Amino acid sequence: MSLAWRNLQKPFYLETSLRILQMRPSLSLGASRIAVPKLTLHTKHSMPPCDFSPEKYQSLAYSRVLAIHKQHLSPVDTAYFRKPLLLHQGHMEWLFDSEGNRYLDFFSGIVTVSVGHCHPKVIFLVNSGSEANDLAMVMARAHSNHTDIISFRGAYHGCSPYTLGLTNVGIYKMEVPGGIGCQSTMCPDVFRGPWGGIHCRDSPVQTVRDCSCAPDCCQAKERYIEQFKDTLNTSVATSIAGFFAEPIQGVNGVVQYPKEFLKEAFALVRERGGVCIADEVQTGFGRLGSHFWGFQTHDVLPDIVTMAKGIGNGFPMAAVVTTPEIAKSLAKRLLHFSTFGGNPLACAIGSAVLEVIEEENLQRNSQEVGTYMLLKFAKLRDEFDIVGDVRGKGLMVGIEMVQDKISRQPLPKTEVNQIHEDCKDMGLLVGRGGNFSQTFRIVPPMCVTKMEVDFAYEVFRAALIQHMERRAK
């Protein structure tokens, strides 16, 4: 089956764990000392209207669900809140709990729901991209006849035994063997890293750090490239299998690299015989607004592209796209198949998601509403000293919390947790990321409106004000 998409300069071949019918891309500091009453659900700010009424919850009692979860499911603590939400129903950008309370979803099921919960055209379940990245690793090694694969520190490419070698976020590392042949390299983070500042990243909002870069010449990029060269010269073999990169790091807190960095890094990898892999699991399908694929924002063309999450709006789907040459290299080495790959239901859902993105102009909405959202939330950085950085592109925004802007040390987790809880109590659900869980991840479904962004902004600002009031006592 073919994959039709724009702006590709050579034919691509679909070798996938789950194939889809057709993909048609369309495209001072310090808070105000205002006394704020205790935040309660929906009482502080007026929620935008929603014309959907959830069905009455008639299943197990909340306490019984918690007991079953504790008895039968993994004991790993994955809940965001002290009192986990029992979500009952979803509609587009809205979620409803078992008590009928309404929440604005600004995390999209960990960047899974692209076109909205329970969209009339799409089925909503769950999914993962680990299998896609597993396959991409095998492809890179089979094609290059080499072993070593490089990925960024702060990268997240999955939690399978194979991809854990690529994932370099501390909380996902395990004290068991795994990830042989994987090597991490410095993440070119222009906010938290040693270099970077006001001219470095492709975003309507830049970091407030001063730097010696000029608008058309990023010295920070050159220094990070030297670090990348150092990894190539000291930590891997002379010839390598490949290099994995997210166009924007998701789990690490929406981290963006200096402009032109990936272009130079890709060239260095290819000089060593390696292939370049773009992990589009969180950035693809128009979420970044300006382009359908994240790698296009860097003006590069990968050898392999992996995708999931948004491809099925929550349905278990993943795809690996590559050149015929690399696909043939894999075929010569091993027989690869996926038991459920290409099943008709998955194909129909993938096709429906792409139709919705195109018919409802969701890429354009990501650009317009996303830019509005980013500029709006950037105001918080100017108002609160604990908001160190606001960054992103389209509907993928990170708000990094710090103790102060000078040290850029992460805000203690207990304080971030309380801000998170306060947002939830007022009806706003956001995600978390970063090595210290210090960054709020704002990634709503692509159907979100400016009115809903305004509500989210007011809630988040109120949570910050209340936090500063607690600090002052």
Side-chain angles (χ1 to χ4, degrees), residues 229-376:
K229 290 178 180 177
D230 188 59
T231 298
L232 289 171
N233 292 332
T234 63
S235 302
V236 294
T238 303
S239 297
I240 63 174
F243 168 50
F244 267 79
E246 304 160 85
I248 297 177
Q249 286 189 338
V251 171
N252 197 30
V254 193
V255 172
Q256 294 174 282
Y257 323 127
K259 288 173 284 190
E260 303 295 318
F261 178 89
L262 279 189
K263 183 179 289 188
E264 292 195 26
F266 275 25
L268 291 170
V269 168
R270 286 166 175 155
E271 287 176 6
R272 297 292 189 103
V275 300
C276 300
I277 302 103
D279 182 337
E280 294 277 359
V281 170
Q282 297 191 35
T283 53
F285 299 96
R287 173 165 288 280
L288 300 188
S290 63
H291 297 79
F292 200 78
W293 303 107
F295 66 78
Q296 293 172 301
T297 68
H298 296 276
D299 192 25
V300 297
L301 186 65
D303 303 295
I304 302 174
V305 180
T306 62
M307 58 194 74
K309 291 184 182 288
I311 192 177
N313 204 54
F315 191 85
M317 291 189 74
V320 179
V321 183
T322 190
T323 62
E325 181 184 9
I326 293 177
K328 289 176 183 176
S329 298
L330 178 68
K332 291 177 182 178
R333 291 295 194 94
L334 75 160
L335 175 64
H336 177 271
F337 70 96
S338 176
T339 302
F340 299 105
N343 74 79
L345 180 58
C347 292
I349 290 170
S351 183
V353 169
L354 291 163
E355 288 172 0
V356 169
I357 292 174
E358 186 172 18
E359 292 169 1
E360 299 185 5
N361 294 315
L362 294 186
Q363 181 181 341
R364 181 188 302 170
N365 194 64
S366 294
Q367 173 74 353
E368 294 177 357
V369 178
T371 301
Y372 175 82
M373 179 173 73
L374 181 58
L375 294 173
K376 184 120 184 168

Side-chain angles (χ1 to χ4, degrees), residues 65-192:
V65 173
L66 285 182
I68 292 173
H69 187 284
K70 183 177 181 179
Q71 181 178 358
H72 296 290
L73 298 185
S74 168
V76 175
D77 185 8
T78 57
Y80 266 131
F81 306 112
R82 289 194 295 267
K83 181 182 178 182
L85 289 174
L86 177 54
L87 295 174
H88 165 48
Q89 209 165 352
H91 174 72
M92 303 305 285
E93 58 269 44
W94 299 102
L95 290 169
F96 301 84
D97 66 16
S98 57
E99 298 176 355
N101 294 313
R102 178 160 58 107
Y103 300 86
L104 181 58
D105 181 9
F106 261 45
F107 197 33
S108 302
I110 314 182
V111 206
T112 295
V113 180
S114 51
V115 301
H117 294 282
C118 298
H119 192 284
K121 273 196 161 187
V122 183
I123 294 171
F124 173 76
L125 292 172
V126 295
N127 75 339
S128 169
S130 295
E131 185 179 359
N133 286 331
D134 273 339
L135 178 55
M137 294 177 74
V138 174
M139 279 184 172
R141 287 168 169 160
H143 180 70
S144 66
N145 290 316
H146 305 305
T147 301
D148 288 341
I149 298 178
I150 299 171
S151 62
F152 285 132
R153 292 169 199 149
Y156 180 85
H157 297 290
C159 272
S160 66
Y162 214 31
T163 58
L164 270 176
L166 299 175
T167 292
N168 297 303
V169 178
I171 60 173
Y172 295 101
K173 289 297 187 181
M174 300 181 185
E175 295 179 359
V176 294
I180 296 174
C182 297
Q183 179 63 49
S184 69
T185 190
M186 177 183 282
C187 174
D189 181 349
V190 300
F191 173 72
R192 185 160 293 284

Side-chain angles (χ1 to χ4, degrees), residues 38-69:
K38 179 175 175 58
L39 307 179
T40 56
L41 188 64
H42 306 173
T43 59
K44 178 62 184 172
H45 300 284
S46 177
M47 271 194 152
C50 175
D51 59 2
F52 177 82
S53 297
E55 299 173 2
K56 184 178 179 180
Y57 180 74
Q58 296 179 332
S59 189
L60 299 174
Y62 182 90
S63 58
R64 178 59 179 153
V65 173
L66 285 182
I68 292 173
H69 187 284

